[in-house]
Amino acid sequence: MLFKKIFNINLTKTVLRLCLLFICLSICSACQSDVKVINIGYIGPLTKRATDLGIGPANALKIAVEEYNRNKKPEEPVVNLFIEDDQWEKDNAIITYEKLRREQDINIIFISNSEGTIAISDKALEDGVILVNPLNNDALLSKLNSNTFKIAKSTEQANSLIAIRIIELGLKKVAIMNYPNDFMTIASTSCKKLLDKNGIKNKIVTINKEATDFEKELKSFKKEGYDAYVFFGYKNFGFAMKQARELGITAPFFGSTVLLDPAYYENSQGTIVGTECTFFTPADGNWVLANEFLDTYKLTYGEKPFSVWPPLQAYDAMNLVLNEVKTINDTKNSDQYFDEWLRQRLNNVKFFQGTCGNISIGKNGASKGIYFSLYNYESKGSLIKVKR
Amino acid sequence: MTKIGTKLLFGFGMFICILIIHTVLGNLTTKQATKSHNSLTRKIAPAVKILNEFRMENKELFLLVENKVYNYKNTKASNRVQQIIEVDLPYYILNLEKLKGSIETSDPRNSSIDSVIKYSNKSIGLIKKVNSLLVTPKDYEDTAKMGMITNMQNNQLSVFSSEIDNRLSFLQIEYNKELENNFSELSKTLKNNSQFFLWTSILFICFGLIITYKNTLAIVKPIKLLLNNIKDIESGNYENRVAVKGIDELSMLGNAFNKMSDSLQASFDQIKSKNKELEQFVYIASHDLQEPLRTITSFTELFVKGYSSKLDEHAITYIKFISQASTRMSLLVRGLLDYSCIGGNKELTLVNCNDLFKDLKTDLSHLILDTNAKIDVENLPEIRAYKTEIRLLFQNIVNNAIKFRRPNISPIIKVKVKEHSNFWKFMISDNGIGIKENKIDTIFKMFHRLNDQSDFEGTGIGLAHCSKVIELHKGTISVDSKLNQGSTFTITISKNLRQTT
């Protein structure tokens, strides 16, 4: 009454109106579109070829996503992971990408295969999808569009170690057998470049994808007196190793990052032992975090991955992305596209402590901070660091 | 004086104001503490951490590069060097740039940060050059190349590393000082905050209590006054009035109460006056009626004596009826006269109830003997009462108890008493005919009779007398009865009787 007399306002009505306004504002603010779910896809070789680059990373990505969902705060979005098999073929990569887009409406795609990465990169940009290659990082991939990120070792750095080792051992004539895909071609080229620079004779022979008989090439190399054999390819080169030894070739063998594929050993019938290759183990990265992850992996899947670097890199790549994704509701403007926002966030990552070491991402979307070392194939499934 | 609503609004308003002031002051002081804490946790502590790590990595980098230059076989550290120059150092440089943005331009730390950034970038460039020059073992065999690299290592990289270390050392000292200062400031602020909250809380609680007490008193005091006056009126004192002050609701209530009291007193006085008049009328009427009645009775007797032989049987019967009616009317008029005289004496005295019942038994001895009645009286108190009236009261009740006895059953009357703080409670029970439940309410009314005149003689005035006597004694009278079992009359007599004029 007094209030009404003084202010000429009906207090009850005013309070009711204010309550109504408050409720409306609350509803409006609740209606503001917080991102609740982010769908991530992974395309990798789960069958047929290079499965060490597909199964291990897929498992690692699952662990990272499960850990994120388990520990996330209520306001952070839920992440779903959908996995598809490309059998290490770029054509399959395109098909599976389309499928993931169509059926799961993915916002981010991880892919192991470099050619597959190239094949879908423009489509990903068009769709507003962020593309991450968690295994390879090379100059060719860095030429792709701004939605493509490479959170992995540098292919050139890793494979140039082979050339340096050849120089170090004083070898004079190097035969390089090259599997016809982008990754192995870049490996061969970077190796050749360094050998050329140091005046060491070398020859790259690109073989057929499905080839299992290399006798012709090997006989030719033996005849020409090559004293070092570099196998930049996958498990079928196990046959080449076996055939080389059968032909009496005693020269040292060198290989790429994929030697630990069990099929490689089987195909070589043990002749792979003694081959030097570039590889990555927990000792090359953050020993504590890497072992912690490998223990979790073993606990989850019953065994450790036979090749540790692909899951380690994939785990770091996913965690790095999730580290940004979880901030979406705080950092993304409503008028910003998802890929625009995540691209900016990822380009600003200057220090991420992962299992592979401290990682930063450059403006070209390529990571820095993962460095491979030289290892010797000691016995089946086991490598030992080369003491130099 | 303001209205109660305004008082309450004022009180609550004051409380809210106090709360707001307390919250605002608390917020201001907390803000200061939060500022110190934020500065500590978001700026200084991370800066100290970054500087420590930067310094360590700078030393590590120098040693690793030195090792690389002088010991080509030890290539294990190459990856670590790469990591430091490609990721770690750029990250520390970025953080130093951010740190620089948070300090004033005049701050001496600025130039140190600039130097660290400058020398770090130079170091990175130099190490990249060394890395590109020292790739294969052959490079180590190239004396010209090694000479140049050694020179770079000794004359440039060592200088850069040393400069970075010195500057970082200075920055560490500065930031550690700031860290300590902030810690002590935060601790001081928190202590001050704690004291501030304690004292302001005490002050505000006291203030609040005073306001509450004042407001409560302002409301409760007039209510109490009003209650006392209501009690006075309840006890028959209509003269007291509430002292009215101000314009609040309670004053208005007091005014209304006073008006009601005035009106009540006027009505009461009027009733009293009318009552007096009525009693006067009853007295005069009953007194004046006595004389013609006596004349009628006397002449009727004379008429019977003188003319009974000359009258036939019918005439004698009629005359007898006239005589009986005259006698009954005389009794009724007498009763009315007695009723009007109750309280006429109006002298309060101490009455010994034991003596009273003793006298009463003597007076009723014939009746008691005739009916073989037994009156059992427990030890009774001495009470302050109107002696004649109280005697009449007990006499009427005992008399009724004997009169309304059951056939062939000797009346037994028990008199008990119980003392209460404000009144005496007498209970007189009998084993008589009892009263029908639906008749109980009417027995205290004048001329009401429950039984036929032929069964029990009487005027129907006795219990009306009792009721009036009880009224005179500010008490109550009630009856609890069961037909053919007996009745119990419960009487209360106030202990606080005051002599009325």
Side-chain angles (χ1 to χ4, degrees):
Chain A
M1 284 292 278
L2 185 78
F3 192 82
K4 194 179 175 182
K5 270 184 186 172
I6 297 169
F7 300 105
N8 198 23
I9 293 169
N10 187 324
L11 190 61
T12 318
K13 276 187 181 175
T14 311
V15 169
L16 279 173
R17 278 174 193 157
L18 282 171
C19 287
L20 201 68
L21 186 70
F22 179 75
I23 291 164
C24 289
L25 285 172
S26 303
I27 291 166
C28 284
S29 66
C31 289
Q32 277 182 353
S33 53
D34 262 10
V35 178
K36 303 280 182 204
V37 177
I38 296 282
N39 291 332
I40 300 179
Y42 170 65
I43 300 170
L46 306 179
T47 56
K48 202 172 178 182
R49 189 183 297 117
T51 53
D52 58 325
L53 305 178
I55 296 167
N59 290 340
L61 295 180
K62 277 194 261 181
I63 290 173
V65 169
E66 276 166 20
E67 284 175 347
Y68 165 81
N69 283 333
R70 194 168 56 242
N71 301 320
K72 76 172 195 65
K73 291 174 188 162
E75 66 273 17
E76 292 168 355
V78 171
V79 169
N80 298 317
L81 178 68
F82 304 97
I83 296 169
E84 289 292 335
D85 180 15
D86 67 351
Q87 298 179 331
W88 207 238
E89 292 290 346
K90 73 170 181 184
D91 292 341
N92 289 342
I94 297 167
I95 295 163
T96 48
Y97 170 77
E98 293 291 355
K99 186 185 172 202
L100 285 168
R101 275 293 293 162
R102 191 175 57 249
E103 292 177 5
Q104 312 299 349
D105 191 26
I106 51 158
N107 313 102
I108 302 164
I109 182 83
F110 281 68
I111 181 163
S112 292
N113 191 301
S114 293
E115 288 178 332
T117 308
I118 296 164
I120 65 169
S121 65
D122 286 340
K123 192 80 184 83
L125 181 68
E126 197 181 298
D127 294 342
V129 170
I130 291 292
L131 175 61
V132 179
N133 188 320
L135 299 189
N136 299 324
N137 170 17
D138 55 48
L140 184 65
L141 292 177
S142 290
K143 284 178 186 166
L144 298 177
N145 62 55
S146 57
N147 270 22
T148 310
F149 287 84
K150 291 76 58 182
I151 306 173
K153 88 294 189 177
S154 158
T155 309
E156 291 87 347
Q157 181 270 334
N159 291 296
S160 64
L161 286 178
I162 297 293
I164 293 168
R165 179 62 173 160
I166 288 167
I167 298 162
E168 194 177 277
L169 292 173
L171 300 167
K172 304 292 179 197
K173 208 171 177 182
V174 182
I176 303 170
M177 296 183 82
N178 176 47
Y179 179 87
N181 72 3
D182 288 336
F183 174 76
M184 290 303 176
T185 306
I186 289 167
S188 301
T189 315
S190 57
C191 185
K192 179 181 170 50
K193 207 171 155 187
L194 204 56
L195 292 173
D196 286 344
K197 199 180 167 189
N198 284 274
I200 294 169
K201 282 184 185 171
N202 62 82
K203 185 181 181 183
I204 297 176
V205 176
T206 302
I207 54 89
N208 190 289
K209 265 188 179 179
E210 304 298 332
T212 52
D213 182 8
F214 307 94
E215 202 174 317
K216 190 182 155 195
E217 291 88 352
L218 290 168
K219 273 183 179 169
S220 167
F221 288 147
K222 190 184 176 188
K223 195 178 171 186
E224 288 173 37
Y226 283 90
D227 58 0
Y229 287 77
V230 181
F231 299 96
F232 281 145
Y234 303 95
K235 61 183 182 183
N236 282 1
F237 277 161
F239 297 119
M241 286 176 176
K242 180 178 162 268
Q243 284 176 332
R245 293 300 183 222
E246 280 170 354
L247 288 170
I249 296 169
T250 54
F253 291 166
F254 299 91
S256 71
T257 54
V258 295
L259 288 198
L260 279 189
D261 182 349
Y264 219 133
Y265 181 87
E266 299 303 329
N267 294 345
S268 78
Q269 291 189 8
T271 55
I272 194 172
V273 172
T275 305
E276 289 187 358
C277 63
T278 51
F279 206 74
F280 187 93
T281 64
D284 297 308
N286 188 319
W287 197 85
V288 176
L289 292 181
N291 278 305
E292 203 175 285
F293 162 72
L294 291 172
D295 288 343
T296 309
Y297 190 102
K298 191 179 176 184
L299 205 69
T300 314
Y301 302 106
E303 57 178 5
K304 283 190 178 176
F306 46 81
S307 180
V308 294
W309 71 265
L312 281 172
Q313 280 192 185
Y315 182 69
D316 279 358
M318 178 59 91
N319 277 331
L320 192 147
V321 170
L322 292 177
N323 202 36
E324 302 306 323
V325 161
K326 70 180 180 186
T327 68
I328 189 165
N329 291 322
D330 294 329
T331 57
K332 185 178 167 293
N333 298 326
S334 54
D335 56 346
Q336 225 176 355
Y337 289 113
F338 173 82
D339 62 326
E340 184 194 346
W341 164 78
L342 187 56
R343 193 168 58 225
Q344 279 178 12
R345 297 288 304 177
L346 289 175
N347 278 326
N348 282 323
V349 174
K350 296 299 165 212
F351 190 88
F352 176 81
Q353 200 171 46
T355 58
C356 296
N358 300 334
I359 301 167
S360 73
I361 295 181
K363 282 184 180 166
N364 59 357
S367 70
K368 285 179 183 171
I370 302 172
Y371 307 103
F372 274 47
S373 298
L374 199 67
Y375 282 82
N376 188 301
Y377 201 108
E378 193 188 27
S379 58
K380 188 182 178 183
S382 166
L383 295 174
I384 186 165
K385 213 167 193 175
V386 175
K387 289 182 181 171
R388 298 150 70 194
Chain B
M1 205 60 176
T2 48
K3 290 188 174 182
I4 295 171
T6 318
K7 277 180 194 171
L8 288 173
L9 266 179
F10 174 73
F12 282 122
M14 282 302 287
F15 262 121
I16 289 162
C17 285
I18 287 167
L19 208 65
I20 290 167
I21 293 166
H22 195 249
T23 310
V24 169
L25 289 175
N27 207 23
L28 286 174
T29 51
T30 310
K31 213 171 177 180
Q32 202 187 337
T34 311
K35 199 179 159 190
S36 299
H37 180 260
N38 284 348
S39 164
L40 205 64
T41 54
R42 292 183 191 169
K43 191 182 135 194
I44 305 165
V48 169
K49 185 174 172 274
I50 289 285
L51 292 170
N52 287 341
E53 287 175 2
F54 199 160
R55 205 174 165 201
M56 279 197 302
E57 290 216 9
N58 177 55
K59 283 177 182 169
E60 186 190 355
L61 183 66
F62 181 73
L63 291 173
L64 287 170
V65 174
E66 195 176 50
N67 216 324
K68 184 183 172 83
V69 172
Y70 292 110
N71 183 8
Y72 82 90
K73 283 184 178 173
N74 190 350
T75 53
K76 275 201 285 186
S78 290
N79 286 351
R80 178 68 185 137
V81 171
Q82 282 294 108
Q83 173 111 61
I84 294 173
I85 62 168
E86 283 191 344
V87 181
D88 296 0
L89 282 196
Y91 170 68
Y92 295 136
I93 290 168
L94 192 74
N95 276 290
L96 280 190
E97 280 166 353
K98 280 183 192 167
L99 210 60
K100 196 185 162 196
S102 70
I103 55 177
E104 289 174 14
T105 44
S106 58
D107 196 310
R109 288 175 292 189
N110 259 321
S111 62
S112 291
I113 290 173
D114 285 339
S115 297
V116 172
I117 292 171
K118 186 178 81 182
Y119 287 118
S120 297
N121 284 326
K122 281 185 176 180
S123 287
I124 291 169
L126 204 68
I127 293 165
K128 278 183 180 170
K129 201 171 174 186
V130 170
N131 279 347
S132 67
L133 289 170
L134 290 177
V135 179
T136 65
K138 264 190 179 178
D139 297 325
Y140 287 89
E141 290 161 12
D142 187 334
T143 47
K145 196 184 264 186
M146 282 307 290
M148 187 177 74
I149 291 168
T150 313
N151 187 39
M152 280 159 63
Q153 162 75 13
N154 292 337
N155 298 329
Q156 293 181 59
L157 193 63
S158 62
V159 174
F160 298 160
S161 182
S162 161
E163 284 294 330
I164 292 168
D165 192 57
N166 287 340
R167 301 288 196 277
L168 285 173
S169 169
F170 166 75
L171 288 169
Q172 270 182 315
I173 291 165
E174 289 297 307
Y175 273 97
N176 277 325
K177 265 190 216 168
E178 199 178 335
L179 187 73
E180 277 174 27
N181 288 342
N182 269 264
F183 261 124
S184 100
E185 196 185 326
L186 181 65
S187 160
K188 203 174 156 187
T189 311
L190 289 173
K191 200 177 165 187
N192 287 343
N193 272 9
S194 167
Q195 281 184 345
F196 169 80
F197 275 113
L198 179 73
W199 288 113
T200 50
S201 296
I202 291 170
L203 190 74
F204 289 153
I205 286 167
C206 291
F207 194 49
L209 284 174
I210 291 166
I211 290 173
T212 310
Y213 176 74
K214 286 259 180 195
N215 262 346
T216 310
L217 206 68
I219 296 164
V220 169
K221 203 177 166 184
I223 291 174
K224 270 189 177 174
L225 215 62
L226 211 59
L227 270 174
N228 287 337
N229 277 276
I230 290 167
K231 278 182 186 169
D232 279 350
I233 287 177
E234 198 183 354
S235 62
N237 183 359
Y238 299 91
E239 284 161 11
N240 279 1
R241 293 291 179 272
V242 181
V244 178
K245 282 181 191 172
I247 52 155
D248 65 6
E249 287 86 344
L250 287 170
S251 304
M252 286 156 74
L253 188 66
N255 269 326
F257 178 81
N258 285 345
K259 279 181 190 169
M260 188 192 76
S261 296
D262 289 344
S263 166
L264 209 60
Q265 193 177 14
S267 300
F268 185 72
D269 288 346
Q270 206 177 359
I271 289 165
K272 243 162 79 174
S273 161
K274 292 283 177 196
N275 233 9
K276 194 92 181 163
E277 280 175 25
L278 208 63
E279 278 175 7
Q280 202 70 23
F281 167 76
V282 171
Y283 176 78
I284 291 164
S286 52
H287 186 266
D288 289 358
L289 281 172
Q290 285 289 344
E291 188 49 38
L293 272 173
R294 266 198 297 273
T295 308
I296 292 167
T297 310
S298 303
F299 277 98
T300 308
E301 281 172 8
L302 287 173
F303 185 78
V304 170
K305 273 182 188 174
Y307 298 96
S308 57
S309 56
K310 294 174 186 173
L311 296 171
D312 62 11
E313 201 173 317
H314 285 290
I316 288 168
T317 307
Y318 295 155
I319 293 294
K320 197 178 172 185
F321 284 161
I322 292 168
S323 175
Q324 281 173 349
S326 302
T327 307
R328 202 163 66 248
M329 191 171 175
S330 177
L331 283 170
L332 283 169
V333 171
R334 183 73 218 169
L336 273 175
L337 194 62
D338 288 346
Y339 186 84
S340 67
C341 289
I342 288 170
N345 183 17
K346 288 198 175 175
E347 194 184 341
L348 275 173
T349 52
L350 274 175
V351 179
N352 187 320
C353 294
N354 287 323
D355 293 345
L356 188 146
F357 268 89
K358 205 186 232 176
D359 295 345
L360 209 145
K361 278 180 187 175
T362 310
D363 290 352
L364 298 172
S365 55
H366 285 294
L367 190 62
I368 291 167
L369 273 172
D370 287 350
T371 58
N372 197 23
K374 192 182 171 192
I375 302 174
D376 185 9
V377 182
E378 69 174 31
N379 190 28
L380 298 177
E382 203 173 38
I383 63 169
R384 198 170 147 77
Y386 298 99
K387 191 173 180 179
T388 313
E389 282 77 5
I390 207 81
R391 190 178 188 285
L392 183 67
L393 168 78
F394 288 124
Q395 188 177 322
N396 271 336
I397 292 172
V398 172
N399 199 32
N400 279 350
I402 296 169
K403 186 163 76 176
F404 297 105
R405 64 186 179 277
R406 278 181 285 166
N408 305 320
I409 292 175
S410 300
I412 299 169
I413 298 151
K414 288 179 181 170
V415 182
K416 290 178 182 174
V417 71
K418 197 172 177 187
E419 185 174 9
H420 289 261
S421 57
N422 292 321
F423 57 89
W424 294 101
K425 187 177 181 181
F426 290 87
M427 286 149 291
I428 304 150
S429 57
D430 62 55
N431 59 344
I433 58 169
I435 307 160
K436 282 182 184 171
E437 201 177 337
N438 59 348
K439 300 286 181 185
I440 283 176
D441 292 341
T442 59
I443 59 169
F444 297 106
K445 290 178 182 170
M446 184 79 86
F447 304 127
H448 265 268
R449 288 177 50 83
L450 302 181
N451 304 288
D452 286 344
Q453 184 70 25
S454 55
D455 295 335
F456 298 98
E457 283 184 358
T459 56
I461 292 175
L463 285 177
H465 278 185
C466 291
S467 183
K468 194 174 179 188
V469 171
I470 284 301
E471 200 180 304
L472 192 67
H473 287 85
K474 312 282 182 202
T476 58
I477 183 165
S478 60
V479 63
D480 184 24
S481 181
K482 279 185 180 170
L483 203 63
N484 296 322
Q485 284 187 26
S487 306
T488 300
F489 282 82
T490 305
I491 293 159
T492 63
I493 293 168
S494 173
K495 282 181 175 179
N496 308 313
L497 285 175
R498 278 185 286 186
Q499 184 71 53
T500 52
T501 53

